[in-house]
Amino acid sequence: MSRLRLGVNIDHVATIRNARGGRHPDPVRAAKAALHAGADGITAHLREDRRHISDQDIERLRREIPLPLNLEMAATPEMEEIALRHRPHAACVVPEKREERTTEGGIDAAGQHDRLKDVVRKLADANIRVSLFIEPELRQIEAASSMGAPVIELHTGAYCEAAASADAYERDSQFDRIRRGAEYGASLGLEIHAGHGLGYETVGPVAALSEIRELNIGHFLVGEAIFSGLEAAIRRMRALMDEARANTERRFTA
Ligand code: PXP
């Protein structure tokens, strides 16, 4: 079974920096810490309103960090131009405006097929590995596949919210959506990533799904860094992912 990669999302280091407008804490320093702690990639969302990550952060991440950069971006001409200029390893197309989202929060790939298809093609032509951040719904997965995206990132937010509310039935049914989505996407030949809201308590079952190749995790790690330090938080997350993966492997080989 393939190794599960961890992409560390550093957006909220920038959120804290921007709260005071200075340079501390520096998200590029956080990316260096993530590298030391064993992250496989850095994820950063350059939002239209620049509420956390800035254009200069993206420039510095490209220049100073040897890890693959996954740029989260809205499907706008401005972001397209920025992605084509910086040529990150990967770009994940995410919704920013309400009307671009599905009910739960992923991008509405089915509803915006033609617009997104064009963006996917332009990024892919520049050798950027494109993913679409979508809900684990069959029609969204089909739409992503039919527009030629090689990767989908399944939104784990509803599962994490249900887990936090201690509603076991809702948690299990939300998890089941992710499991079925991952299986279906992989059956169509898509590479499957997942993320949003994951923490120590929720990461295990998702990491155990053998079809999933990468998890992108940010907010929880930055929050946990307050108590344990960023490197320790990332190492613990990595260990939980590896443990879940090893259990799946044992089940496969038993
Ligand atoms: N994946 C995508 C596509 C995202 O937009 C986000 C949030 O920026 C994440 C993963 C990480 O979510 P969180 O910060 O809740 O771990």
Side-chain angles (χ1 to χ4, degrees):
M1 196 183 352
S2 58
R3 182 174 183 276
L4 180 61
R5 294 192 300 267
L6 171 60
V8 172
N9 180 313
I10 54 166
D11 291 351
H12 297 300
V13 177
T15 302
I16 299 169
R17 175 195 61 192
N18 294 1
R20 285 288 169 92
R23 284 195 280 180
H24 182 78
D26 178 10
V28 178
R29 182 173 163 201
K32 285 180 187 156
L35 169 66
H36 288 138
D40 300 286
I42 299 298
T43 296
H45 185 179
L46 185 67
R47 297 187 71 103
E48 285 182 85
D49 63 6
R50 309 301 196 267
R51 75 174 70 149
H52 37 58
I53 292 293
S54 69
D55 297 69
Q56 200 198 4
D57 292 332
I58 297 295
E59 242 172 77
R60 289 183 56 219
L61 287 168
R62 283 297 279 141
R63 214 176 38 238
E64 298 177 36
I65 303 296
L67 288 173
L69 175 65
N70 174 29
L71 176 70
E72 288 179 7
M73 53 176 274
T76 62
E78 183 202 12
M79 289 301 149
E80 215 179 272
E81 186 274 315
I82 290 171
L84 294 175
R85 182 152 37 89
H86 290 294
R87 299 193 176 226
H89 165 78
C92 180
V93 181
V94 301
E96 283 193 19
K97 299 198 171 70
R98 202 123 274 298
E99 62 273 18
E100 296 168 344
R101 294 182 193 174
T102 60
T103 1
E104 305 282 357
I107 198 159
D108 186 7
Q112 303 183 63
H113 189 280
D114 294 346
R115 188 167 83 91
L116 293 176
K117 186 176 178 180
D118 193 45
V119 178
V120 168
R121 185 185 47 75
K122 283 189 199 147
L123 296 172
D125 283 351
N127 259 339
I128 299 169
R129 196 144 172 86
V130 195
S131 67
L132 292 179
F133 185 43
I134 56 173
E135 287 304 315
E137 285 169 12
L138 302 193
R139 69 189 201 100
Q140 298 296 346
I141 297 167
E142 254 157 27
S145 168
S146 78
M147 69 180 77
V151 184
I152 53 172
E153 178 160 332
L154 298 178
H155 199 307
T156 52
Y159 155 68
C160 292
E161 264 175 42
S165 77
D167 177 342
Y169 175 80
E170 180 62 13
R171 181 201 58 211
D172 291 350
S173 63
Q174 289 297 344
F175 177 71
D176 230 45
R177 287 173 77 224
I178 298 170
R179 186 182 55 71
R180 279 185 277 116
E183 281 173 9
Y184 183 57
S187 79
L188 297 178
L190 293 164
E191 181 174 316
I192 316 294
H193 299 177
H196 200 90
L198 291 169
Y200 294 154
E201 313 251 305
T202 44
V203 76
V206 181
L209 296 173
S210 60
E211 293 83 7
I212 294 186
R213 302 283 303 276
E214 178 175 308
L215 298 181
N216 284 299
I217 308 181
H219 183 268
F220 180 87
L221 290 172
V222 174
E224 198 59 19
I226 294 167
F227 305 106
S228 68
L230 185 58
E231 290 196 34
I234 293 170
R235 287 207 168 91
R236 170 120 196 259
M237 189 62 82
R238 175 83 259 169
L240 291 168
M241 287 164 56
D242 290 345
E243 193 187 321
R245 206 67 168 184
N247 287 339
T248 306
E249 215 149 57
R250 271 197 287 278
R251 268 202 307 279
F252 268 114
T253 48

